[in-house]
């Protein structure tokens, strides 16, 4: 799913990540310290690492299927692991996740849109059976405003050293449906 654009993923998603952190800061006081935090669709690990550094969580399972995203995540973890070794990166899909009764929170940040209806139903059913009564679930999806942005629109522009990076809306037609993809 992701290829070479993973290199630019964090650079071009800085603004949205800053907004996500504000929401996470509000949710985390509801999370029990004992138990497992699931970061499903962990991507490059921003959420898992942030939670590990800022909050006292026993375990964080960073679930990520994309090999390219896992490479970026594991590279970042090398800088964090000496401080706290509570993040486990798991290469799996949602059908293979073994949810246990000690879930303290579940985060699905920008990933649910990648699931088909069957995968979503499977996930909700399994979570519903295992999630403790007061354990929060945070689901963040691509804003519907993105569906009205014209092809070629610059979504984000970031300068790093001598280079300037742009995230550009690019239309992609597949199976008579229109989906949207970032272009770097």
């Amino acid at each position: 799913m992701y290829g070479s654009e993973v290199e630019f993923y964090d650079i071009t998603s800085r603004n949205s990540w800053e907004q996500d952190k504000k929401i996470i800061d509000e949710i985390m006081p509801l999370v029990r310290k004992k138990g497992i935090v699931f970061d499903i669709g962990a991507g490059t690990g921003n959420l898992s690492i942030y939670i590990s550094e800022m909050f006292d969580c026993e375990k964080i399972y960073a679930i990520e299927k994309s090999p390219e995203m896992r490479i970026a995540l594991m590279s970042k973890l090398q800088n964090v692991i000496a401080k706290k070794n509570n993040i486990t990166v798991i290469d799996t899909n949602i059908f293979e996740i073994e949810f246990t009764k000690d879930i303290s929170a579940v985060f699905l940040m920008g990933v649910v849109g990648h699931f088909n209806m069957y995968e979503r139903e499977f996930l909700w059913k399994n979570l519903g059976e295992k999630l403790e009564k007061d354990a929060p679930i945070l689901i963040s999806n691509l804003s519907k405003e993105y569906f009205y942005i014209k092809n070629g629109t610059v979504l984000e522009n970031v300068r790093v050293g001598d280079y300037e990076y742009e995230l550009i809306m690019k239309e992609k037609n597949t199976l008579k449906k229109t989906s949207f993809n970032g272009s770097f």
Side-chain angles (χ1 to χ4, degrees):
M1 173 172 233
Y2 292 96
S4 62
E5 64 270 8
V6 168
E7 177 182 358
F8 308 105
Y9 186 83
D10 286 340
I11 293 170
T12 57
S13 64
R14 285 181 184 171
N15 288 339
S16 61
W17 172 237
E18 289 302 317
Q19 291 189 9
D20 287 346
K21 282 198 298 191
K22 292 175 188 174
I23 297 166
I24 292 158
D25 289 344
E26 291 181 28
I27 297 291
M28 287 309 294
L30 304 173
V31 176
R32 290 179 295 109
K33 292 180 182 182
K34 295 289 182 195
I36 301 169
V37 171
F38 280 88
D39 180 5
I40 300 173
T44 61
N46 288 334
L47 173 65
S48 293
I49 292 168
Y50 181 70
I51 290 172
S52 177
E53 290 178 336
M54 301 302 291
F55 302 98
D56 189 23
C57 295
E58 183 180 33
K59 291 182 184 181
I60 301 167
Y61 286 172
I63 312 294
E64 180 53 58
K65 190 66 180 156
S66 165
E68 295 86 3
M69 289 289 198
R70 279 195 321 278
I71 289 168
L73 194 162
M74 292 301 288
S75 296
K76 282 185 190 179
L77 279 182
Q78 297 312 305
N79 297 322
V80 180
I81 227 162
K83 297 178 201 168
K84 216 172 184 184
N85 196 6
N86 65 341
I87 300 173
T88 301
V89 178
I90 301 172
D91 168 15
T92 191
N93 63 50
I94 62 165
F95 298 114
E96 298 167 350
I97 299 173
E98 292 187 30
F99 293 111
T100 59
K101 291 266 184 198
D102 57 348
I103 299 172
S104 57
V106 178
F107 292 89
L108 296 118
M109 305 299 287
V111 71
V112 174
H114 294 287
F115 298 154
N116 64 38
M117 191 55 71
Y118 177 71
E119 291 168 323
R120 290 177 194 172
E121 288 173 3
F122 181 86
L123 179 64
W124 304 146
K125 180 182 183 301
N126 283 313
L127 276 176
E129 293 172 356
K130 304 287 181 157
L131 199 63
E132 300 245 348
K133 180 181 176 189
D134 295 328
I137 298 178
L138 180 59
I139 301 168
S140 170
N141 260 338
L142 186 64
S143 173
K144 68 179 179 179
E145 67 191 33
Y146 282 104
F147 295 108
Y148 303 104
I149 296 174
K150 292 182 180 178
N151 194 26
T153 301
V154 175
L155 301 175
E156 186 140 6
N157 186 311
V158 179
R159 177 171 286 288
V160 178
D162 291 339
Y163 294 101
E164 191 168 297
Y165 299 91
E166 291 183 330
L167 177 61
I168 301 171
M169 181 61 77
K170 183 179 177 185
E171 190 172 310
K172 181 180 177 184
N173 292 318
T174 56
L175 301 175
K176 298 182 184 179
K177 293 182 182 178
T178 303
S179 62
F180 295 95
N181 228 351
S183 172
F184 302 92

